[in-house]
Amino acid sequence: MEHCKNPLKNTCHSENIKLYIMVKGQKLPICNQCWIHLANSEEEW
């Protein structure tokens, strides 16, 4: 099973994948908790 690969929090190992995002041509799995953080973040990546 794959785990979360949040580009802003590389210590997350949740397997509760909510969606995938494309970052620099790479498809990254994102968990529900990290997605909430990313969606509300003003970070550019």
Side-chain angles (χ1 to χ4, degrees):
M1 185 163 259
E2 62 189 348
H3 67 275
C4 182
K5 293 189 179 176
N6 181 348
L8 302 179
K9 181 183 173 190
N10 60 4
T11 58
C12 182
H13 295 290
S14 174
E15 295 178 346
N16 182 22
I17 304 304
K18 173 83 171 181
L19 53 86
Y20 294 84
I21 61 173
M22 292 293 289
V23 177
K24 297 181 182 177
Q26 197 173 10
K27 186 170 104 172
L28 303 177
I30 304 297
C31 73
N32 189 49
Q33 185 176 359
C34 285
W35 174 241
I36 292 168
H37 175 74
L38 286 171
N40 292 320
S41 173
E42 293 186 21
E43 292 284 333
E44 290 188 31
W45 31 271

